[in-house]
Structures are given as structure tokens and as C-alpha cells.
Amino acid sequence: MRINKYLAEALKISRRKADEYVKNRRVKVNGKTINGFIDVKETDVIEVDGEVLSLDKERLYFAFNKPPFVISSTSDEENRKTVCDFFEGIDKKLICVGRLDYLSEGLLIVTNDGDFANMLMHPRFKIKKTYLIKTARRLSEEELENLRRGATLEDGFFKPLKVQRTNNDRWILISINTGRNRIIRRFLKRFDIKIEKLKRIAIGNIELGNLKKGSYRKLTQEELSSIRKLTNGQRLN
């Protein structure tokens, strides 16, 4: 395994951050400081700043129903409630895959597998995400058609994969395959459409279903396999 990948997995940090550890000569392998990106074995002793590392081989994958007014993070400087506060009984370093903003709710994937998290978030794989949005008023057919055509935002053109009305006239369904920050809120604001509620109901083939707010469940092997099929079994380098 490449040393930067080992560091990323062991410390639950990004590959870029792991690269910095190596470049800043903070890493020792078998007692010797390294200055390059070498391959390491399970039997090697890896240290960062004098602390011996080990890989957590138990991989955990959860679907979590994030309530509104919860931060999609492991900690918050303002001491607001975070996703990880709901996983207090799990002594693993967990990662929120993607984000839902403070007001939004619904499906998040939570895992301790850094590669899996990066794969789900990487723009290369264009994983579909589906949302239910409650608008302040009923949208006309013309407005829905305008949404389907897309619009140019401050960070470029955006067009949803799907826009459709639901059985409730003030709720619409939108599917996207981008992780651009607050893209749905910015997109609807472009059309002067006010959002009252935004809820993510699916990531790829993983669905929120009837999971209660603030609750989580383990992903099934079928769900994990469905994600790997969407990425054609690829892994990030």
C-alpha cells in the first residue's frame, strides 16, 4: 500500500493532507524518517509525530436520517449538534459522505472507510442524488419546464437530471449528479422559488425509506454492491 493511502486510512484524513505529512518529514517507517512516497506493508511500523499508527480493518457503513438543525460534520466550533452526536456508542472515527446544509434533512451515508467516502463524493462517478422539496407555493408547468432546462449560476451552468411534480402540489422531486455546494437552493433561488423544506431521499440506489429522523441503520451488502456497480468497481488512486 502506498504510504499516503495508509496515512489517509489510519488517520481518517484526505490523501492531500497525508501528502503534506510526508513532505514535511513527519512520517517514520520502521524508525526512519521518509521523504518520498514509498510502499509499505502491514508488518511495517508507521509513525506520525512519534505516534504509532494502525489500520482499522472493521469497515462500517450506515444510512442516517439527518434532522434539520444538525451539522453534517464530526464537530462544530459553535457547539451545535452534529451528525456524530447520534453515533456516540461507536468508537470509530466516522466520516459524513457529502453534506446536507444546516436546514436540510434526509439521507446521509456515514462510514469509517475513507476510500468508499471519496468514491461516493468524487465528481468522476456522478452518483445520482434525489431530493424532495417543499416550495412556498404551487409551481406552474411553465416553471417546472424552466427548471428542467437548467440555468447558469455563479459557478457555471447547472441542469437537473429530473424535475417532476409529486402527488402533493407543493412538493417537487429533483435528481442531480453533482456535489456542488448548496446547488439546489441556489438553483431554485435563481427562479425566485422559495424553499420551505429540502429532504434528500436517495443516494444512488440507497434509499431513505421509513428511517426515522436521527436514526441510522447499516447498509446492506446489496446496497454496497449497487454503489460499486455504479462506479464499475473503480477505486481512486
Side-chain angles (χ1 to χ4, degrees):
M1 180 186 294
R2 209 67 171 162
I3 183 62
N4 55 347
K5 181 178 180 181
Y6 184 101
L7 295 175
E9 289 193 11
L11 296 172
K12 301 298 183 292
I13 59 176
S14 68
R15 199 74 62 84
R16 181 178 297 178
K17 189 71 174 178
D19 291 347
E20 292 177 6
Y21 281 21
V22 174
K23 290 175 183 177
N24 293 332
R25 300 177 64 83
R26 297 173 60 184
V27 182
K28 288 184 179 181
V29 176
N30 299 326
K32 295 182 179 180
T33 300
I34 63 169
N35 57 7
F37 297 96
I38 64 172
D39 290 327
V40 294
K41 306 183 293 294
E42 287 189 13
T43 54
D44 290 330
V45 178
I46 317 296
E47 299 175 62
V48 171
D49 300 335
E51 180 184 353
V52 177
L53 306 182
S54 62
L55 290 181
D56 184 352
K57 295 183 180 180
E58 183 185 8
R59 296 292 181 245
L60 302 174
Y61 308 91
F62 300 104
F64 174 68
N65 187 350
K66 180 186 109 57
F69 311 112
V70 171
I71 301 295
S72 299
S73 179
T74 57
S75 62
D76 180 61
E77 294 179 355
E78 300 178 28
N79 292 321
R80 292 171 294 183
K81 200 170 188 67
T82 71
V83 167
C84 283
D85 290 332
F86 294 85
F87 291 83
E88 290 181 345
I90 297 175
D91 61 346
K92 309 291 182 184
K93 292 183 179 180
L94 298 174
I95 306 164
C96 293
V97 182
R99 288 181 178 271
L100 286 170
D101 63 50
Y102 188 58
L103 297 177
S104 298
E105 61 186 84
L107 181 62
L108 276 175
I109 305 302
V110 180
T111 181
N112 66 338
D113 185 340
D115 276 349
F116 183 77
N118 289 333
M119 183 174 63
L120 272 176
M121 292 186 287
H122 200 283
R124 178 202 307 173
F125 301 120
K126 296 184 179 298
I127 302 294
K128 184 175 75 171
K129 295 172 279 289
T130 304
Y131 300 79
L132 284 174
I133 298 101
K134 184 181 182 182
T135 56
R137 56 179 173 79
R138 184 184 188 277
L139 303 186
S140 67
E141 289 301 323
E142 181 181 359
E143 286 177 305
L144 291 176
E145 191 55 38
N146 287 337
L147 292 177
R148 294 183 184 109
R149 294 192 188 101
T152 299
L153 306 177
E154 62 270 22
D155 56 351
F157 185 76
F158 169 71
K159 180 180 178 181
L161 296 175
K162 178 190 288 188
V163 177
Q164 69 180 45
R165 197 188 306 279
T166 69
N167 292 331
N168 187 318
D169 278 350
R170 286 177 56 197
W171 287 84
I172 61 173
L173 181 145
I174 293 182
S175 293
I176 67 175
N177 63 358
T178 177
R180 288 157 62 180
N181 187 45
R182 295 173 61 87
I183 188 68
I184 291 180
R185 291 190 183 276
R186 293 189 290 116
F187 179 59
L188 293 188
K189 185 178 180 180
R190 170 72 173 74
F191 294 91
D192 295 320
I193 298 172
K194 183 178 179 181
I195 294 174
E196 290 192 350
K197 186 176 288 189
L198 191 154
K199 180 179 182 180
R200 184 157 63 201
I201 60 171
I203 298 174
N205 294 329
I206 301 171
E207 297 182 352
L208 181 65
N210 58 4
L211 189 63
K212 294 181 179 179
K213 290 181 184 180
S215 298
Y216 60 87
R217 63 171 178 82
K218 287 186 176 181
L219 296 186
T220 67
Q221 285 302 316
E222 289 78 11
E223 288 172 324
L224 292 171
S225 296
S226 75
I227 292 296
R228 294 188 176 106
K229 286 179 182 177
L230 289 174
T231 61
N232 295 317
Q234 298 179 61
R235 305 296 283 181
L236 299 176
N237 295 323

